[in-house]
Amino acid sequence: MTSTHQGKICIITGATDGIGKEAAMHLAGMGFTLGLVGRNRDKISSTLAEIQNATGNKHITFFQADLSLMKEVRRLAEEIQSTFDKINVLLNNAGAYIADFEKTGEGFERTFALNHLSYFLLTDLLLDTIKTTPNSRIVNVASDAHRKTNLNFDNLQGFNGYKGWPAYCKSKLCNIMFTYELGRRLEGSDTTANCLHPGFVNTSFGNNNRAGIRLGLTAAKAVSAINVKKGAKTSIYLASSSEVEGVNGKYFAKCKPKNSSPQSNVIEDQKRLWDISEQLLS
Ligand SMILES: NC(=O)c1ccc[n+]([C@@H]2O[C@H](COP(=O)([O-])OP(=O)(O)OC[C@H]3O[C@@H](n4cnc5c(N)ncnc54)[C@H](OP(=O)(O)O)[C@@H]3O)[C@@H](O)[C@H]2O)c1
């Protein structure tokens, strides 16, 4: 195990599958103490056993939460804080493409709630702990899919017309705009916030949808997706590499900073999204 990471605490959401699970496996091998978040009890048990058997790392705690529900995000944050008194890395990774409109019991559109509001709220609730941990990092998994859209602040949650793929793209644009605004707010502290595009990765992404969509995605993945080991590289890099110590407020792909779309860089829009998110969660 790499001793430089021994004793460092890394929280990863969406750790029971795909990119998050692969990142968890790798970071466990590097010696991190992990706080992993999953929603399905059976997948949590099997993932925990798999990571522990493969790496020998016993410092892994799993938390269960449906991150599309803000009451569960709040409970999760409390559980994390009563388990760990510091957080070196928060990797907001859980996300989904939800083809059909769904409103959660809390009245939010589910894609927006899971992919954006959960990143925003979990980060906010853990921020004091993160900021008091030296050289801490917040890493948000976004996507190049954000380039295909712009935010319409009058229909942020698709209540006046919802299309699944554009809603997903908008939520990933939110991840980037949130990261940039957060990065600015963190200036002068030794906590950093960065976001990333993992590539088009052969994971379970999209499998929650109806058969036609699953079939289309499976075919596209077979033709052009990279494997999950490659797909987790930038997440692992931003969570652990000394090369990015002090690097803040950037969008990465293939472990290198990259420009994001024009709207993602509009500071006024970043602030507006922040304010609206805060109001929705107040
Ligand atoms: N795959 C790609 O090509 C690609 C490209 C760009 C960006 N991304 C982003 O990468 C991130 C990870 O995606 P992936 O490809 O690894 O997908 P994945 O294989 O489907 O894994 C998603 C993870 O998020 C969890 N999750 C989903 N809904 C949840 C909920 N309501 N509450 C709590 N956890 C939930 C899943 O839990 P279960 O195990 O219980 O399902 C799983 O652990 C996402 O943010 C996605 O937007 C992926």
Side-chain angles (χ1 to χ4, degrees), residues 29-281:
M30 292 169 100
F32 276 90
T33 294
L34 296 179
L36 304 181
V37 184
R39 60 175 165 165
N40 173 306
R41 199 162 285 286
D42 292 341
K43 282 181 93 168
I44 287 174
S45 303
S46 59
T47 304
L48 180 62
E50 210 182 309
I51 297 175
Q52 288 188 329
N53 290 339
T55 65
N57 189 333
K58 299 290 175 215
H59 304 288
I60 303 173
T61 306
F62 243 112
F63 302 91
Q64 186 178 20
D66 177 345
L67 297 172
S68 67
L69 295 174
M70 298 307 115
K71 65 171 189 286
E72 298 222 359
V73 176
R74 290 181 200 280
R75 178 186 47 75
L76 169 69
E78 276 175 21
E79 286 177 14
I80 290 173
Q81 275 169 319
S82 60
T83 307
F84 300 117
D85 57 7
K86 63 174 190 170
I87 297 172
N88 298 81
V89 182
L90 169 62
L91 176 54
N92 285 307
N93 163 82
Y97 157 42
I98 300 166
D100 299 317
F101 181 83
E102 280 179 45
K103 215 183 215 185
T104 70
E106 298 173 332
F108 298 121
E109 184 282 307
R110 198 175 297 279
T111 305
F112 182 76
L114 171 65
N115 293 7
H116 168 62
L117 288 179
S118 84
Y119 282 30
F120 185 92
L121 182 60
L122 187 62
T123 304
D124 181 52
L125 295 171
L126 298 179
L127 199 56
D128 286 345
T129 310
I130 296 171
K131 282 175 79 174
T132 52
T133 310
N135 297 318
S136 51
R137 302 172 181 197
I138 298 159
V139 179
N140 295 321
V141 181
S143 172
D144 252 9
H146 81 277
R147 295 183 194 285
K148 302 193 189 313
T149 192
N150 280 316
L151 288 192
N152 170 2
F153 284 101
D154 296 327
N155 189 25
L156 206 48
Q157 299 191 59
F159 292 151
N160 304 320
Y162 179 86
K163 285 190 179 143
W165 186 248
Y168 172 76
C169 297
K170 284 177 203 301
S171 72
K172 295 286 116 182
L173 176 57
C174 289
N175 295 157
I176 299 172
M177 293 166 78
F178 162 55
T179 306
Y180 290 167
E181 176 62 21
L182 177 63
R184 244 188 334 275
R185 288 171 187 240
L186 290 169
E187 275 168 19
S189 76
D190 66 354
T191 301
T192 60
N194 292 292
C195 56
L196 69 114
H197 170 57
F200 179 40
V201 192
N202 196 355
T203 63
S204 302
F205 180 78
N207 289 355
N208 49 298
N209 293 300
R210 61 195 124 83
I213 291 174
R214 283 205 310 275
L215 230 71
L217 271 168
T218 305
K221 286 173 194 167
V223 173
S224 53
I226 56 174
N227 67 39
V228 74
K229 276 200 188 313
K230 273 194 190 157
K233 272 192 175 158
T234 306
S235 299
I236 295 163
Y237 175 74
L238 288 175
S240 63
S241 173
S242 58
E243 284 176 22
V244 282
E245 196 159 303
V247 176
N248 182 33
K250 301 256 183 284
Y251 178 61
F252 282 75
K254 295 186 178 166
C255 302
K256 294 206 164 41
K258 187 180 180 184
N259 288 333
S260 55
S261 73
Q263 195 196 17
S264 69
N265 285 289
V266 177
I267 292 177
E268 210 176 54
D269 287 348
Q270 295 162 14
K271 289 186 187 305
R272 192 168 174 197
L273 176 66
W274 186 286
D275 290 344
I276 291 171
S277 307
E278 224 167 35
Q279 280 160 20
L280 288 170
L281 293 165

